Amino acid sequence: MESRYARQTILKDFGEAGQAKLTKAKVLVVGLGGLGLPVLQYLNAMGVGTLGLMDQDVVELHNLQRQILYAEHDLGKQKLDVVFQKLNEQNSSTTLIMHDSFLTKENALDTIRDYDVVVDATDNFPTRYLINDACVILDKPFVYGALHGFEGHVSVFNHLDGPTYRCLYPNMPSPDEMPNCNENGVLGVVPGIIGTLQALEVVKILTGIGEVLSGKLLLFNGLNQHISKIGFKPNSENKNIKKLQEFYEPLDCEVISTVSAETFQTIRESESKITLIDVRTEEEFEGHHLEEALHLPLNQINQYAPTKGDMAIYVICQSGKRSEIAVKHLQEAHPNLTFYSILGGMNKMLAICP
Amino acid sequence: MTILLFGITKDIVGSSTLSVPTSSATGRKVPKTVKELKQFLGETYPELNKLSSLAVAVNNNYAEDGELINSYDEIALIPPVSGG
């Protein structure tokens, strides 16, 4: 009987032995977005025995230009459910483990412990540093991919004696020094390229073929197809992490007033006048906003001037991250007023609004 | 001395490469180390000073602040990027 993996087992350096290693392997993919999906589709097709899926987002319209596993009829569904179904159809012999959560410092060690390799397919610095620290503590390699516009970065961190993410970038950037994906675009095809390179690194780690991209940062420039590799060395201090940090979200240490989307909706329905500031970009605001919202993008938040009579001011963004940053700044600048960040942002409001 | 720019440094400078004069006709101190180069660039582009983790590569290898640089070196500024 012809094996479905014949085209790779026929490769002399991979062979049945390589396939057997994939079958036995357990890989966790954190983030079911532009990077995580191609990683999963290839690892699942190639016969990695156990795949862990971790995300709590729903499929949104602006995901579709780069997250090509999702179809229009998936809009509004949990990414986890959609990916589970599609991967199961693609290869029914894979054991798929669903983690219906984001990675947090509470669940990171227990989640990662059971896997051989972790794929960092996230879109934010706090989770990237959390993955790094948890993998160092548990002695697991992780395959890193990250994007910026037309550019992509790939590396394998904490592989055997190799360096870690902190050997390259010791300190986490503060939220206001770097844009995230919503504010800073990504050309649809670039995550596909970077995610596919990550999948290749996972296969090399698991089977021992080739040279793992450890101690090297691969930089891909999509505009000129230029690929460069930067060498870097381990710093023993960074290999010696014994426990997770108290805080990863830099805002955890500040008290930010928040309100749930459900509560905010009740307030909207009962109050005749409320003040709501939408801190998303012009494009996002133009695309859709709540009718009473005033627009003030996060990068202009220090221009906010309160209107007389305002007491409670609500702040919203897409997912609730930028509104937290905005509330922090606003609360400092206007201590006599109370600002509330709406948890889950527009994503949540759209899900609950009638 | 030509410097390749990645991630947000490219956006800050507005170009993917940057030329730094290696002899001074202007009286400005010519940078001799990675640290001096960062200071030199930070004077022209103050936004660069805000980056808390900015990796610098000299001839395709990560370089510490004290490393010496010269006009033949290929230098790259590589900040962390976070998109996914």
Side-chain angles (χ1 to χ4, degrees), chain A residues 122-123 125 128 144 146-148 151 169-171 173 177 179 229-232, chain B residues 6-8 11 50-53 55 57 60-62 78-84:
Chain A
T122 62
D123 62 359
F125 287 118
R128 293 183 185 285
Y144 160 87
L147 309 168
H148 184 94
E151 187 179 311
Y169 302 118
N171 305 313
E177 86 187 58
K229 282 189 256 177
I230 305 299
F232 59 102
Chain B
F6 291 91
I8 198 166
D11 302 340
K50 276 171 59 183
L51 304 177
S52 52
S53 268
N60 291 321
N61 277 299
Y62 182 91
I78 312 163
V81 302
S82 74

PDB file of all heavy atoms in Angstrom, chain A residues 122-123 125 128 144 146-148 151 169-171 173 177 179 229-232, chain B residues 6-8 11 50-53 55 57 60-62 78-84:
ATOM      1  N   THR A 122       2.628  34.368  17.602  1.00  0.00           N
ATOM      2  CA  THR A 122       1.792  35.383  18.242  1.00  0.00           C
ATOM      3  C   THR A 122       2.027  36.738  17.577  1.00  0.00           C
ATOM      4  O   THR A 122       2.821  36.856  16.640  1.00  0.00           O
ATOM      5  CB  THR A 122       2.133  35.487  19.744  1.00  0.00           C
ATOM      6  OG1 THR A 122       3.493  35.905  19.871  1.00  0.00           O
ATOM      7  CG2 THR A 122       1.969  34.144  20.428  1.00  0.00           C
ATOM      8  N   ASP A 123       1.353  37.745  18.071  1.00  0.00           N
ATOM      9  CA  ASP A 123       1.470  39.063  17.451  1.00  0.00           C
ATOM     10  C   ASP A 123       1.751  40.157  18.476  1.00  0.00           C
ATOM     11  O   ASP A 123       1.444  41.308  18.245  1.00  0.00           O
ATOM     12  CB  ASP A 123       0.195  39.392  16.665  1.00  0.00           C
ATOM     13  CG  ASP A 123      -1.023  39.454  17.576  1.00  0.00           C
ATOM     14  OD1 ASP A 123      -0.874  39.229  18.784  1.00  0.00           O
ATOM     15  OD2 ASP A 123      -2.121  39.739  17.062  1.00  0.00           O
ATOM     16  N   PHE A 125       4.468  41.490  21.969  1.00  0.00           N
ATOM     17  CA  PHE A 125       5.704  41.268  22.736  1.00  0.00           C
ATOM     18  C   PHE A 125       5.489  40.544  24.071  1.00  0.00           C
ATOM     19  O   PHE A 125       6.270  39.650  24.396  1.00  0.00           O
ATOM     20  CB  PHE A 125       6.445  42.585  22.965  1.00  0.00           C
ATOM     21  CG  PHE A 125       7.101  43.122  21.730  1.00  0.00           C
ATOM     22  CD1 PHE A 125       6.725  44.334  21.198  1.00  0.00           C
ATOM     23  CD2 PHE A 125       8.103  42.393  21.097  1.00  0.00           C
ATOM     24  CE1 PHE A 125       7.329  44.828  20.046  1.00  0.00           C
ATOM     25  CE2 PHE A 125       8.716  42.875  19.952  1.00  0.00           C
ATOM     26  CZ  PHE A 125       8.323  44.092  19.429  1.00  0.00           C
ATOM     27  N   ARG A 128       5.421  36.893  23.479  1.00  0.00           N
ATOM     28  CA  ARG A 128       6.712  36.391  22.975  1.00  0.00           C
ATOM     29  C   ARG A 128       7.709  36.231  24.128  1.00  0.00           C
ATOM     30  O   ARG A 128       8.435  35.238  24.208  1.00  0.00           O
ATOM     31  CB  ARG A 128       7.274  37.330  21.905  1.00  0.00           C
ATOM     32  CG  ARG A 128       6.427  37.349  20.621  1.00  0.00           C
ATOM     33  CD  ARG A 128       7.067  38.247  19.574  1.00  0.00           C
ATOM     34  NE  ARG A 128       6.245  38.394  18.376  1.00  0.00           N
ATOM     35  CZ  ARG A 128       6.104  37.464  17.439  1.00  0.00           C
ATOM     36  NH1 ARG A 128       6.723  36.306  17.562  1.00  0.00           N
ATOM     37  NH2 ARG A 128       5.347  37.680  16.387  1.00  0.00           N
ATOM     38  N   TYR A 144      10.584  30.887  16.344  1.00  0.00           N
ATOM     39  CA  TYR A 144      10.085  32.252  16.403  1.00  0.00           C
ATOM     40  C   TYR A 144       9.866  32.806  15.001  1.00  0.00           C
ATOM     41  O   TYR A 144      10.697  32.626  14.102  1.00  0.00           O
ATOM     42  CB  TYR A 144      11.142  33.068  17.148  1.00  0.00           C
ATOM     43  CG  TYR A 144      11.123  34.559  16.974  1.00  0.00           C
ATOM     44  CD1 TYR A 144      10.331  35.347  17.800  1.00  0.00           C
ATOM     45  CD2 TYR A 144      11.920  35.182  16.020  1.00  0.00           C
ATOM     46  CE1 TYR A 144      10.327  36.726  17.674  1.00  0.00           C
ATOM     47  CE2 TYR A 144      11.924  36.566  15.883  1.00  0.00           C
ATOM     48  CZ  TYR A 144      11.124  37.327  16.713  1.00  0.00           C
ATOM     49  OH  TYR A 144      11.121  38.681  16.582  1.00  0.00           O
ATOM     50  N   ALA A 146       8.180  36.574  13.218  1.00  0.00           N
ATOM     51  CA  ALA A 146       7.569  37.875  13.487  1.00  0.00           C
ATOM     52  C   ALA A 146       7.617  38.720  12.225  1.00  0.00           C
ATOM     53  O   ALA A 146       8.492  38.535  11.372  1.00  0.00           O
ATOM     54  CB  ALA A 146       8.295  38.578  14.636  1.00  0.00           C
ATOM     55  N   LEU A 147       6.675  39.648  12.140  1.00  0.00           N
ATOM     56  CA  LEU A 147       6.506  40.411  10.909  1.00  0.00           C
ATOM     57  C   LEU A 147       6.515  41.904  11.163  1.00  0.00           C
ATOM     58  O   LEU A 147       6.122  42.362  12.231  1.00  0.00           O
ATOM     59  CB  LEU A 147       5.140  40.082  10.289  1.00  0.00           C
ATOM     60  CG  LEU A 147       4.795  38.624  10.111  1.00  0.00           C
ATOM     61  CD1 LEU A 147       3.334  38.489   9.762  1.00  0.00           C
ATOM     62  CD2 LEU A 147       5.666  38.030   9.022  1.00  0.00           C
ATOM     63  N   HIS A 148       6.914  42.622  10.134  1.00  0.00           N
ATOM     64  CA  HIS A 148       6.785  44.076  10.157  1.00  0.00           C
ATOM     65  C   HIS A 148       6.651  44.527   8.707  1.00  0.00           C
ATOM     66  O   HIS A 148       7.638  44.538   7.967  1.00  0.00           O
ATOM     67  CB  HIS A 148       8.004  44.707  10.833  1.00  0.00           C
ATOM     68  CG  HIS A 148       7.905  46.198  10.980  1.00  0.00           C
ATOM     69  ND1 HIS A 148       7.425  46.798  12.120  1.00  0.00           N
ATOM     70  CD2 HIS A 148       8.191  47.197  10.111  1.00  0.00           C
ATOM     71  CE1 HIS A 148       7.444  48.110  11.956  1.00  0.00           C
ATOM     72  NE2 HIS A 148       7.906  48.380  10.745  1.00  0.00           N
ATOM     73  N   GLU A 151       8.450  42.782   5.801  1.00  0.00           N
ATOM     74  CA  GLU A 151       9.630  42.144   6.349  1.00  0.00           C
ATOM     75  C   GLU A 151       9.238  41.031   7.320  1.00  0.00           C
ATOM     76  O   GLU A 151       8.232  41.135   8.004  1.00  0.00           O
ATOM     77  CB  GLU A 151      10.367  43.254   7.106  1.00  0.00           C
ATOM     78  CG  GLU A 151      11.704  42.955   7.657  1.00  0.00           C
ATOM     79  CD  GLU A 151      12.245  44.227   8.353  1.00  0.00           C
ATOM     80  OE1 GLU A 151      12.214  45.328   7.779  1.00  0.00           O
ATOM     81  OE2 GLU A 151      12.683  44.094   9.501  1.00  0.00           O
ATOM     82  N   TYR A 169      17.263  40.320  22.287  1.00  0.00           N
ATOM     83  CA  TYR A 169      16.506  41.479  22.765  1.00  0.00           C
ATOM     84  C   TYR A 169      16.252  41.318  24.265  1.00  0.00           C
ATOM     85  O   TYR A 169      15.231  40.773  24.670  1.00  0.00           O
ATOM     86  CB  TYR A 169      15.176  41.590  22.021  1.00  0.00           C
ATOM     87  CG  TYR A 169      15.327  41.708  20.525  1.00  0.00           C
ATOM     88  CD1 TYR A 169      14.815  40.740  19.667  1.00  0.00           C
ATOM     89  CD2 TYR A 169      15.994  42.795  19.961  1.00  0.00           C
ATOM     90  CE1 TYR A 169      14.953  40.847  18.291  1.00  0.00           C
ATOM     91  CE2 TYR A 169      16.147  42.909  18.595  1.00  0.00           C
ATOM     92  CZ  TYR A 169      15.619  41.934  17.755  1.00  0.00           C
ATOM     93  OH  TYR A 169      15.762  42.046  16.405  1.00  0.00           O
ATOM     94  N   PRO A 170      17.191  41.799  25.101  1.00  0.00           N
ATOM     95  CA  PRO A 170      17.088  41.543  26.541  1.00  0.00           C
ATOM     96  C   PRO A 170      15.806  42.098  27.173  1.00  0.00           C
ATOM     97  O   PRO A 170      15.220  41.465  28.035  1.00  0.00           O
ATOM     98  CB  PRO A 170      18.316  42.249  27.121  1.00  0.00           C
ATOM     99  CG  PRO A 170      19.229  42.475  25.964  1.00  0.00           C
ATOM    100  CD  PRO A 170      18.407  42.531  24.731  1.00  0.00           C
ATOM    101  N   ASN A 171      15.382  43.283  26.741  1.00  0.00           N
ATOM    102  CA  ASN A 171      14.261  43.938  27.413  1.00  0.00           C
ATOM    103  C   ASN A 171      13.044  44.050  26.513  1.00  0.00           C
ATOM    104  O   ASN A 171      13.168  44.372  25.340  1.00  0.00           O
ATOM    105  CB  ASN A 171      14.653  45.350  27.851  1.00  0.00           C
ATOM    106  CG  ASN A 171      15.891  45.329  28.706  1.00  0.00           C
ATOM    107  OD1 ASN A 171      15.997  44.535  29.635  1.00  0.00           O
ATOM    108  ND2 ASN A 171      16.863  46.172  28.362  1.00  0.00           N
ATOM    109  N   PRO A 173      10.118  45.747  24.737  1.00  0.00           N
ATOM    110  CA  PRO A 173       9.791  47.134  24.394  1.00  0.00           C
ATOM    111  C   PRO A 173       8.511  47.576  25.100  1.00  0.00           C
ATOM    112  O   PRO A 173       7.629  46.759  25.344  1.00  0.00           O
ATOM    113  CB  PRO A 173       9.551  47.081  22.883  1.00  0.00           C
ATOM    114  CG  PRO A 173      10.150  45.809  22.420  1.00  0.00           C
ATOM    115  CD  PRO A 173      10.088  44.864  23.575  1.00  0.00           C
ATOM    116  N   GLU A 177       6.322  52.234  22.281  1.00  0.00           N
ATOM    117  CA  GLU A 177       7.476  52.432  21.387  1.00  0.00           C
ATOM    118  C   GLU A 177       7.367  51.632  20.093  1.00  0.00           C
ATOM    119  O   GLU A 177       8.098  51.851  19.147  1.00  0.00           O
ATOM    120  CB  GLU A 177       8.805  52.161  22.118  1.00  0.00           C
ATOM    121  CG  GLU A 177       9.284  50.737  22.155  1.00  0.00           C
ATOM    122  CD  GLU A 177      10.518  50.585  23.045  1.00  0.00           C
ATOM    123  OE1 GLU A 177      10.473  50.924  24.245  1.00  0.00           O
ATOM    124  OE2 GLU A 177      11.524  50.132  22.529  1.00  0.00           O
ATOM    125  N   PRO A 179       4.556  49.772  17.185  1.00  0.00           N
ATOM    126  CA  PRO A 179       3.180  49.573  16.747  1.00  0.00           C
ATOM    127  C   PRO A 179       2.833  48.088  16.745  1.00  0.00           C
ATOM    128  O   PRO A 179       3.722  47.253  16.703  1.00  0.00           O
ATOM    129  CB  PRO A 179       3.199  50.096  15.314  1.00  0.00           C
ATOM    130  CG  PRO A 179       4.593  49.898  14.860  1.00  0.00           C
ATOM    131  CD  PRO A 179       5.469  49.966  16.079  1.00  0.00           C
ATOM    132  N   LYS A 229      21.239  36.670   7.233  1.00  0.00           N
ATOM    133  CA  LYS A 229      21.264  35.970   8.512  1.00  0.00           C
ATOM    134  C   LYS A 229      22.278  36.631   9.425  1.00  0.00           C
ATOM    135  O   LYS A 229      23.412  36.893   9.029  1.00  0.00           O
ATOM    136  CB  LYS A 229      21.629  34.492   8.305  1.00  0.00           C
ATOM    137  CG  LYS A 229      20.451  33.674   7.805  1.00  0.00           C
ATOM    138  CD  LYS A 229      20.756  32.197   7.818  1.00  0.00           C
ATOM    139  CE  LYS A 229      21.031  31.713   6.426  1.00  0.00           C
ATOM    140  NZ  LYS A 229      21.399  30.301   6.378  1.00  0.00           N
ATOM    141  N   ILE A 230      21.840  36.902  10.639  1.00  0.00           N
ATOM    142  CA  ILE A 230      22.686  37.561  11.631  1.00  0.00           C
ATOM    143  C   ILE A 230      23.031  36.538  12.709  1.00  0.00           C
ATOM    144  O   ILE A 230      22.134  35.930  13.293  1.00  0.00           O
ATOM    145  CB  ILE A 230      21.932  38.742  12.280  1.00  0.00           C
ATOM    146  CG1 ILE A 230      21.416  39.729  11.221  1.00  0.00           C
ATOM    147  CG2 ILE A 230      22.800  39.444  13.315  1.00  0.00           C
ATOM    148  CD1 ILE A 230      22.473  40.367  10.385  1.00  0.00           C
ATOM    149  N   GLY A 231      24.312  36.365  12.972  1.00  0.00           N
ATOM    150  CA  GLY A 231      24.721  35.429  14.021  1.00  0.00           C
ATOM    151  C   GLY A 231      24.698  36.088  15.389  1.00  0.00           C
ATOM    152  O   GLY A 231      25.003  37.272  15.519  1.00  0.00           O
ATOM    153  N   PHE A 232      24.305  35.349  16.412  1.00  0.00           N
ATOM    154  CA  PHE A 232      24.377  35.877  17.781  1.00  0.00           C
ATOM    155  C   PHE A 232      24.614  34.719  18.743  1.00  0.00           C
ATOM    156  O   PHE A 232      24.385  33.567  18.421  1.00  0.00           O
ATOM    157  CB  PHE A 232      23.119  36.676  18.151  1.00  0.00           C
ATOM    158  CG  PHE A 232      21.842  35.895  18.068  1.00  0.00           C
ATOM    159  CD1 PHE A 232      21.237  35.406  19.211  1.00  0.00           C
ATOM    160  CD2 PHE A 232      21.241  35.652  16.847  1.00  0.00           C
ATOM    161  CE1 PHE A 232      20.062  34.673  19.138  1.00  0.00           C
ATOM    162  CE2 PHE A 232      20.065  34.921  16.757  1.00  0.00           C
ATOM    163  CZ  PHE A 232      19.482  34.424  17.899  1.00  0.00           C
TER     164      PHE A 232
ATOM    165  N   PHE B   6      16.109  47.840   9.522  1.00  0.00           N
ATOM    166  CA  PHE B   6      15.029  46.857   9.572  1.00  0.00           C
ATOM    167  C   PHE B   6      13.935  47.340  10.514  1.00  0.00           C
ATOM    168  O   PHE B   6      14.157  48.232  11.346  1.00  0.00           O
ATOM    169  CB  PHE B   6      15.571  45.497  10.045  1.00  0.00           C
ATOM    170  CG  PHE B   6      16.481  44.856   9.031  1.00  0.00           C
ATOM    171  CD1 PHE B   6      17.846  45.092   9.057  1.00  0.00           C
ATOM    172  CD2 PHE B   6      15.963  44.040   8.033  1.00  0.00           C
ATOM    173  CE1 PHE B   6      18.685  44.519   8.117  1.00  0.00           C
ATOM    174  CE2 PHE B   6      16.787  43.458   7.088  1.00  0.00           C
ATOM    175  CZ  PHE B   6      18.154  43.693   7.128  1.00  0.00           C
ATOM    176  N   GLY B   7      12.761  46.707  10.357  1.00  0.00           N
ATOM    177  CA  GLY B   7      11.642  46.967  11.263  1.00  0.00           C
ATOM    178  C   GLY B   7      11.321  48.444  11.367  1.00  0.00           C
ATOM    179  O   GLY B   7      11.322  49.169  10.357  1.00  0.00           O
ATOM    180  N   ILE B   8      11.101  48.881  12.590  1.00  0.00           N
ATOM    181  CA  ILE B   8      10.622  50.249  12.778  1.00  0.00           C
ATOM    182  C   ILE B   8      11.709  51.285  12.510  1.00  0.00           C
ATOM    183  O   ILE B   8      11.413  52.455  12.233  1.00  0.00           O
ATOM    184  CB  ILE B   8      10.004  50.424  14.186  1.00  0.00           C
ATOM    185  CG1 ILE B   8       9.131  51.680  14.228  1.00  0.00           C
ATOM    186  CG2 ILE B   8      11.077  50.431  15.268  1.00  0.00           C
ATOM    187  CD1 ILE B   8       8.232  51.756  15.410  1.00  0.00           C
ATOM    188  N   ASP B  11      11.103  52.712   9.238  1.00  0.00           N
ATOM    189  CA  ASP B  11       9.993  53.669   9.242  1.00  0.00           C
ATOM    190  C   ASP B  11      10.436  55.014   9.840  1.00  0.00           C
ATOM    191  O   ASP B  11      10.027  56.070   9.382  1.00  0.00           O
ATOM    192  CB  ASP B  11       8.806  53.122  10.052  1.00  0.00           C
ATOM    193  CG  ASP B  11       8.310  51.791   9.508  1.00  0.00           C
ATOM    194  OD1 ASP B  11       8.599  51.485   8.339  1.00  0.00           O
ATOM    195  OD2 ASP B  11       7.649  51.050  10.258  1.00  0.00           O
ATOM    196  N   LYS B  50      14.292  55.981  21.642  1.00  0.00           N
ATOM    197  CA  LYS B  50      13.193  55.394  22.423  1.00  0.00           C
ATOM    198  C   LYS B  50      13.222  53.868  22.421  1.00  0.00           C
ATOM    199  O   LYS B  50      12.567  53.227  23.226  1.00  0.00           O
ATOM    200  CB  LYS B  50      11.844  55.861  21.850  1.00  0.00           C
ATOM    201  CG  LYS B  50      11.397  57.217  22.364  1.00  0.00           C
ATOM    202  CD  LYS B  50      10.191  57.753  21.625  1.00  0.00           C
ATOM    203  CE  LYS B  50       8.960  56.857  21.686  1.00  0.00           C
ATOM    204  NZ  LYS B  50       7.839  57.404  20.897  1.00  0.00           N
ATOM    205  N   LEU B  51      13.978  53.273  21.467  1.00  0.00           N
ATOM    206  CA  LEU B  51      13.935  51.810  21.334  1.00  0.00           C
ATOM    207  C   LEU B  51      14.756  51.160  22.447  1.00  0.00           C
ATOM    208  O   LEU B  51      15.964  51.335  22.521  1.00  0.00           O
ATOM    209  CB  LEU B  51      14.469  51.399  19.953  1.00  0.00           C
ATOM    210  CG  LEU B  51      13.755  52.055  18.768  1.00  0.00           C
ATOM    211  CD1 LEU B  51      14.400  51.638  17.453  1.00  0.00           C
ATOM    212  CD2 LEU B  51      12.273  51.726  18.764  1.00  0.00           C
ATOM    213  N   SER B  52      14.079  50.400  23.307  1.00  0.00           N
ATOM    214  CA  SER B  52      14.773  49.855  24.482  1.00  0.00           C
ATOM    215  C   SER B  52      15.645  48.647  24.141  1.00  0.00           C
ATOM    216  O   SER B  52      16.612  48.363  24.818  1.00  0.00           O
ATOM    217  CB  SER B  52      13.764  49.494  25.565  1.00  0.00           C
ATOM    218  OG  SER B  52      12.745  48.680  25.039  1.00  0.00           O
ATOM    219  N   SER B  53      15.287  47.911  23.104  1.00  0.00           N
ATOM    220  CA  SER B  53      16.104  46.764  22.683  1.00  0.00           C
ATOM    221  C   SER B  53      16.391  46.906  21.190  1.00  0.00           C
ATOM    222  O   SER B  53      15.571  46.546  20.376  1.00  0.00           O
ATOM    223  CB  SER B  53      15.350  45.446  22.902  1.00  0.00           C
ATOM    224  OG  SER B  53      15.618  44.895  24.157  1.00  0.00           O
ATOM    225  N   ALA B  55      18.993  45.745  18.409  1.00  0.00           N
ATOM    226  CA  ALA B  55      20.179  44.955  18.085  1.00  0.00           C
ATOM    227  C   ALA B  55      20.934  45.617  16.937  1.00  0.00           C
ATOM    228  O   ALA B  55      20.325  46.144  16.004  1.00  0.00           O
ATOM    229  CB  ALA B  55      19.780  43.532  17.715  1.00  0.00           C
ATOM    230  N   ALA B  57      23.994  44.765  14.155  1.00  0.00           N
ATOM    231  CA  ALA B  57      24.859  43.727  13.600  1.00  0.00           C
ATOM    232  C   ALA B  57      25.992  44.387  12.825  1.00  0.00           C
ATOM    233  O   ALA B  57      25.785  45.345  12.086  1.00  0.00           O
ATOM    234  CB  ALA B  57      24.063  42.814  12.680  1.00  0.00           C
ATOM    235  N   ASN B  60      27.210  41.013   9.725  1.00  0.00           N
ATOM    236  CA  ASN B  60      26.301  39.880   9.935  1.00  0.00           C
ATOM    237  C   ASN B  60      26.463  39.170  11.272  1.00  0.00           C
ATOM    238  O   ASN B  60      26.038  38.027  11.414  1.00  0.00           O
ATOM    239  CB  ASN B  60      26.404  38.858   8.798  1.00  0.00           C
ATOM    240  CG  ASN B  60      25.859  39.414   7.508  1.00  0.00           C
ATOM    241  OD1 ASN B  60      24.846  40.128   7.515  1.00  0.00           O
ATOM    242  ND2 ASN B  60      26.525  39.140   6.401  1.00  0.00           N
ATOM    243  N   ASN B  61      27.035  39.861  12.247  1.00  0.00           N
ATOM    244  CA  ASN B  61      27.067  39.306  13.591  1.00  0.00           C
ATOM    245  C   ASN B  61      26.630  40.349  14.600  1.00  0.00           C
ATOM    246  O   ASN B  61      26.998  41.522  14.497  1.00  0.00           O
ATOM    247  CB  ASN B  61      28.462  38.790  13.941  1.00  0.00           C
ATOM    248  CG  ASN B  61      28.685  37.397  13.390  1.00  0.00           C
ATOM    249  OD1 ASN B  61      27.979  36.448  13.752  1.00  0.00           O
ATOM    250  ND2 ASN B  61      29.630  37.281  12.467  1.00  0.00           N
ATOM    251  N   TYR B  62      25.857  39.880  15.563  1.00  0.00           N
ATOM    252  CA  TYR B  62      25.387  40.736  16.652  1.00  0.00           C
ATOM    253  C   TYR B  62      26.594  41.393  17.328  1.00  0.00           C
ATOM    254  O   TYR B  62      27.584  40.729  17.617  1.00  0.00           O
ATOM    255  CB  TYR B  62      24.623  39.858  17.642  1.00  0.00           C
ATOM    256  CG  TYR B  62      24.024  40.558  18.823  1.00  0.00           C
ATOM    257  CD1 TYR B  62      22.724  41.048  18.778  1.00  0.00           C
ATOM    258  CD2 TYR B  62      24.740  40.716  20.010  1.00  0.00           C
ATOM    259  CE1 TYR B  62      22.160  41.675  19.871  1.00  0.00           C
ATOM    260  CE2 TYR B  62      24.186  41.347  21.113  1.00  0.00           C
ATOM    261  CZ  TYR B  62      22.895  41.826  21.041  1.00  0.00           C
ATOM    262  OH  TYR B  62      22.338  42.449  22.124  1.00  0.00           O
ATOM    263  N   ILE B  78      18.611  46.298  13.869  1.00  0.00           N
ATOM    264  CA  ILE B  78      17.552  45.295  13.856  1.00  0.00           C
ATOM    265  C   ILE B  78      16.742  45.359  15.150  1.00  0.00           C
ATOM    266  O   ILE B  78      17.062  44.693  16.133  1.00  0.00           O
ATOM    267  CB  ILE B  78      18.143  43.878  13.674  1.00  0.00           C
ATOM    268  CG1 ILE B  78      19.137  43.883  12.512  1.00  0.00           C
ATOM    269  CG2 ILE B  78      17.038  42.866  13.414  1.00  0.00           C
ATOM    270  CD1 ILE B  78      20.056  42.693  12.510  1.00  0.00           C
ATOM    271  N   PRO B  79      15.686  46.150  15.156  1.00  0.00           N
ATOM    272  CA  PRO B  79      14.841  46.196  16.349  1.00  0.00           C
ATOM    273  C   PRO B  79      13.942  44.960  16.378  1.00  0.00           C
ATOM    274  O   PRO B  79      13.749  44.322  15.343  1.00  0.00           O
ATOM    275  CB  PRO B  79      14.004  47.458  16.130  1.00  0.00           C
ATOM    276  CG  PRO B  79      13.882  47.549  14.640  1.00  0.00           C
ATOM    277  CD  PRO B  79      15.171  46.994  14.075  1.00  0.00           C
ATOM    278  N   PRO B  80      13.398  44.613  17.543  1.00  0.00           N
ATOM    279  CA  PRO B  80      12.437  43.513  17.559  1.00  0.00           C
ATOM    280  C   PRO B  80      11.178  43.928  16.803  1.00  0.00           C
ATOM    281  O   PRO B  80      10.807  45.097  16.822  1.00  0.00           O
ATOM    282  CB  PRO B  80      12.144  43.327  19.051  1.00  0.00           C
ATOM    283  CG  PRO B  80      12.466  44.633  19.685  1.00  0.00           C
ATOM    284  CD  PRO B  80      13.558  45.244  18.868  1.00  0.00           C
ATOM    285  N   VAL B  81      10.560  42.977  16.130  1.00  0.00           N
ATOM    286  CA  VAL B  81       9.272  43.241  15.476  1.00  0.00           C
ATOM    287  C   VAL B  81       8.257  42.284  16.097  1.00  0.00           C
ATOM    288  O   VAL B  81       8.617  41.234  16.610  1.00  0.00           O
ATOM    289  CB  VAL B  81       9.344  43.098  13.945  1.00  0.00           C
ATOM    290  CG1 VAL B  81      10.384  44.029  13.379  1.00  0.00           C
ATOM    291  CG2 VAL B  81       9.623  41.665  13.513  1.00  0.00           C
ATOM    292  N   SER B  82       6.991  42.640  16.064  1.00  0.00           N
ATOM    293  CA  SER B  82       6.032  41.824  16.824  1.00  0.00           C
ATOM    294  C   SER B  82       4.872  41.298  16.013  1.00  0.00           C
ATOM    295  O   SER B  82       4.106  40.489  16.494  1.00  0.00           O
ATOM    296  CB  SER B  82       5.493  42.622  18.007  1.00  0.00           C
ATOM    297  OG  SER B  82       4.586  43.602  17.537  1.00  0.00           O
ATOM    298  N   GLY B  83       4.696  41.738  14.793  1.00  0.00           N
ATOM    299  CA  GLY B  83       3.500  41.359  14.035  1.00  0.00           C
ATOM    300  C   GLY B  83       3.415  39.867  13.775  1.00  0.00           C
ATOM    301  O   GLY B  83       4.416  39.167  13.741  1.00  0.00           O
ATOM    302  N   GLY B  84       2.185  39.385  13.614  1.00  0.00           N
ATOM    303  CA  GLY B  84       2.008  37.960  13.348  1.00  0.00           C
ATOM    304  C   GLY B  84       0.747  37.699  12.569  1.00  0.00           C
ATOM    305  O   GLY B  84       0.061  38.595  12.164  1.00  0.00           O
TER     306      GLY B  84
END
